[in-house]
Amino acid sequence: MRTSSARSISKNFIIRLFPAVFAVVVLCVFGLSGLRKVRSFLGTSLFLSHSWSTNIVFNTDPVVLASFTHDANDRHQILLIPANLIVKIPYGYGLYPFGRVWKLSQLESRPELVSQATADLFHRAVDGWVNTGETVKLNMSGGSPVGPQLQSLFSLQSLVFGKTQSNLQVLDRLLLWWNIFSMRSHNSLESDFTSMKQLYSQAPATLGISGLILNDAAFLPTVSDRFEDVQVRKDGLTVKVFNTTSVSGIGQNFGRFINAFGGKVIAIENKNQKEPACQVVTSQQNKAKVLVLYLERSFDCSIHITSESLD
């Protein structure tokens, strides 16, 4: 009788235990699957997927380019660019005043025009754009700081729940709001390029557009130190750029992006061998260097490892 009772209890215990074990196994499987999805989701974030700064352009007058650093020892950069600065728009659109590029992008349904025009101006990849629908006029009288104005314009409500237009996903909008909200005088630096008259001159009448034209010789040294990555400079990688397209000037322009980030371009050449997309050829020991990762993620370059000398 006792043996039968013991067997019954043991069997009952096993029956009860099995669903519990099965539930734990199921939760573990779904938990691992969920964890992978979370990691994949976080990996798509412009703010979380790399160690260098995230650059966002805002539809304001003057135009604001904000470079949000991920280094606690560094400062955010807020750059103010004249809205009447004449810039070259890619894809054959020609010359436009910077402030009018937003309208052009809306008319053409090509919002990337704004990011690309800004990137070409500063020779630094621009990750995102933010547009309230209309150009917002900033108060520049008496040296009014721009940070508090951005905090007022781009609140959590407007960025996440409002009608603000952007290429940023919800997570990045939250992180953008936090970076703007946390900006203070000790962790951010504002550079008013609108007041640096030596950087511009009035466009000649022959250009057919009224506005300012850039003095490249003065402008590039002024902005280069604001975007350099300290680790890239420390790594000291030297780069050769080969233009495999039929478009002249592509190699020189790409070389400026690399130099502005802290790399050192030692040669720019044309190459007859055509390649379908950007490629970075490097050694095994350098494949994880910041400059290589920057080119891979910011310009969609494919990485090719070689054991041959790259001298």
Side-chain angles (χ1 to χ4, degrees):
M1 185 74 176
R2 290 179 182 176
T3 304
S4 176
S5 177
R7 288 177 180 174
S8 177
I9 292 173
S10 176
K11 182 179 180 181
N12 191 35
F13 176 74
I14 293 173
I15 291 174
R16 290 182 181 180
L17 181 62
F18 179 75
V21 172
F22 179 75
V24 170
V25 171
V26 170
L27 286 174
C28 288
V29 170
F30 279 96
L32 290 173
S33 176
L35 182 61
R36 293 192 190 99
K37 289 181 180 180
V38 169
R39 287 180 176 175
S40 176
F41 176 67
L42 295 178
T44 63
S45 168
L46 296 172
F47 283 90
L48 300 178
S49 61
H50 51 67
S51 61
W52 51 89
S53 58
T54 301
N55 303 316
I56 309 293
V57 61
F58 296 84
N59 183 11
T60 55
D61 182 4
V63 179
V64 169
L65 173 62
S67 182
F68 297 102
T69 181
H70 301 169
D71 186 347
N73 297 318
D74 204 354
R75 293 194 288 179
H76 303 311
Q77 298 281 345
I78 307 297
L79 283 63
L80 307 173
I81 310 108
N84 64 337
L85 175 65
I86 298 173
V87 295
K88 186 176 182 180
I89 311 303
Y91 314 115
Y93 285 98
L95 301 176
Y96 275 80
F98 203 177
R100 289 175 53 192
V101 180
W102 295 93
K103 284 293 184 184
L104 174 66
S105 68
Q106 289 175 332
L107 290 172
E108 297 292 317
S109 298
R110 299 190 69 172
E112 72 276 8
L113 293 179
V114 177
S115 299
Q116 191 60 58
T118 310
D120 289 343
L121 177 62
F122 287 94
H123 302 115
R124 182 67 193 272
V126 174
D127 304 288
W129 52 269
V130 176
N131 182 14
T132 59
E134 295 293 336
T135 301
V136 179
K137 185 76 174 178
L138 299 178
N139 179 17
M140 302 298 295
S141 62
S144 299
V146 172
Q149 297 184 62
L150 293 179
Q151 291 169 354
S152 176
L153 289 168
F154 303 104
S155 63
L156 181 62
Q157 168 67 29
S158 65
L159 279 173
V160 180
F161 306 106
K163 296 182 179 180
T164 299
Q165 303 164 2
S166 177
N167 66 320
L168 303 179
Q169 57 165 299
V170 174
L171 175 60
D172 279 331
R173 291 189 184 214
L174 286 168
L175 293 171
L176 173 61
W177 167 78
W178 174 251
N179 276 278
I180 294 175
F181 173 78
S182 61
M183 282 194 305
R184 300 292 186 272
S185 58
H186 70 276
N187 67 0
S188 61
L189 178 65
E190 295 182 8
S191 299
D192 183 7
F193 287 174
T194 66
S195 63
M196 301 179 187
K197 305 302 182 184
Q198 72 276 14
L199 301 181
Y200 319 101
S201 60
Q202 287 294 329
T206 54
L207 197 61
I209 306 175
S210 60
L212 303 175
I213 57 175
L214 198 64
N215 178 359
D216 282 326
F219 183 76
L220 292 179
T222 304
V223 301
S224 61
D225 61 334
R226 289 167 171 80
F227 290 109
E228 262 192 12
D229 187 282
V230 175
Q231 187 58 51
V232 172
R233 181 62 69 187
K234 287 181 180 178
D235 289 341
L237 295 184
T238 56
V239 182
K240 292 181 180 180
V241 177
F242 296 95
N243 180 12
T244 64
T245 74
S246 57
V247 182
S248 62
I250 292 291
Q252 285 80 0
N253 193 44
F254 200 70
R256 293 189 187 103
F257 277 84
I258 295 172
N259 286 330
F261 193 56
K264 184 178 180 181
V265 176
I266 58 174
I268 299 175
E269 303 174 12
N270 293 320
K271 199 173 184 180
N272 291 328
Q273 179 183 344
K274 303 302 178 185
E275 301 292 345
C278 171
Q279 295 184 7
V280 175
V281 181
T282 187
S283 64
Q284 181 69 28
Q285 68 183 39
N286 290 330
K287 70 174 184 178
K289 293 293 177 66
V290 175
L291 179 58
V292 177
L293 297 176
Y294 170 70
L295 295 174
E296 178 186 22
R297 298 180 186 178
S298 297
F299 300 96
D300 293 326
C301 298
S302 58
I303 307 302
H304 297 263
I305 306 301
T306 182
S307 56
E308 298 178 4
S309 173
L310 296 172
D311 294 333

